[in-house]
Amino acid sequence: MKTTVALLLAFLVNHTFGADYCPTSGKGGAYFTTHATHTELDCEEHYWDESDEIKEYHFHVYFWPKNPVSVADALRLRDNLVSSVSRGDFVAVCEGVNSTVLPGLAEDARVPSIDYEPMGPHPVGNYEIWVPQEYLGKVTSFMMLNRGENTLLFHPKSYHCVEDHTGRVMWMGVPFNLDRSALNFEGPECNVPQYTELGLGYSAPE
């Protein structure tokens, strides 16, 4: 028992207080969350630099496309969110938010449509909600109070698409397994600020 406790304490000290967090072997502990990808990632690619900061986030609302009740509940949540944006309660962008609803949003903004079938890593129907850090608290509160029976996937938007959808995800409701083979560390969507015309998130003035 004493040996087990000693080993546990040594592990915690080694991995918490200043030790090199990246094992040199290239195996095992270096891949806590991205081991399900096709190819291993170097440990240095997998963790933040201390100077980095997450400034934009996505919620994904999951629903069962062939279940009318599930679809209706997801659309109810979307409609309520669009109404809140229109009233000026907060800033968020999803399907249904346009330059009329959110002044300042470009008329040709590429807002993702609702996916009524699995798409990318998402195993069921879903739609994306973009949230800048300036309104994260208000939007999170809204989602907690209004999500109904919908499962919500919440993840940061950074340069590391794989880690964003694995080690950094959070869930409201029943979690789903994602298709991680659809994720690409250097995909074109990684680390690209969205809706730059709003001057929020990564596009906010310094």
Side-chain angles (χ1 to χ4, degrees):
M1 178 68 179
K2 290 182 179 180
T3 301
T4 301
V5 172
L7 289 172
L8 178 59
L9 288 174
F11 174 84
L12 291 173
V13 169
N14 186 49
H15 287 276
T16 307
F17 299 105
D20 181 5
Y21 197 58
C22 291
T24 58
S25 66
K27 301 290 183 182
Y31 306 104
F32 286 116
T33 58
T34 54
H35 58 276
T37 55
H38 286 306
T39 56
E40 292 180 343
L41 297 171
D42 291 337
C43 190
E44 289 76 11
E45 293 181 340
H46 184 314
Y47 295 100
W48 277 124
D49 182 277
E50 291 182 358
S51 64
D52 291 326
E53 181 181 359
I54 297 171
K55 297 184 178 183
E56 297 180 12
Y57 301 83
H58 285 167
F59 283 96
H60 291 268
V61 179
Y62 280 10
F63 59 91
W64 299 106
K66 295 184 179 180
N67 182 331
V69 175
S70 178
V71 173
D73 200 30
L75 295 179
R76 171 200 58 80
L77 179 58
R78 188 276 312 269
D79 292 343
N80 288 350
L81 185 138
V82 171
S83 295
S84 293
V85 173
S86 182
R87 288 196 303 268
D89 296 346
F90 49 72
V91 172
V93 179
C94 68
E95 196 274 342
V97 174
N98 53 35
S99 58
T100 301
V101 172
L102 180 58
L105 185 67
E107 292 186 6
D108 60 349
R110 298 177 62 185
V111 179
S113 59
I114 298 175
D115 291 323
Y116 285 94
E117 58 183 23
M119 184 68 65
H122 307 291
V124 292
N126 89 99
Y127 57 86
E128 174 188 294
I129 302 169
W130 172 84
V131 185
Q133 65 174 0
E134 292 88 346
Y135 293 93
L136 180 60
K138 288 187 176 183
V139 176
T140 300
S141 176
F142 170 89
M143 300 303 276
M144 287 179 174
L145 295 173
N146 291 277
R147 73 174 182 87
E149 294 300 314
N150 298 291
T151 286
L152 307 181
L153 165 65
F154 173 73
H155 70 83
K157 180 172 170 54
S158 79
Y159 63 83
H160 198 321
C161 288
V162 175
E163 193 72 9
D164 286 351
H165 290 81
T166 54
R168 298 179 183 138
V169 299
M170 289 186 280
W171 296 90
M172 295 184 198
V174 180
F176 285 71
N177 273 332
L178 302 184
D179 180 4
R180 298 176 185 178
S181 67
L183 300 171
N184 184 352
F185 173 62
E186 296 181 339
E189 71 281 4
C190 293
N191 201 32
V192 177
Q194 286 182 281
Y195 314 115
T196 57
E197 64 272 21
L198 296 175
L200 297 170
Y202 293 116
S203 302
E206 296 292 337

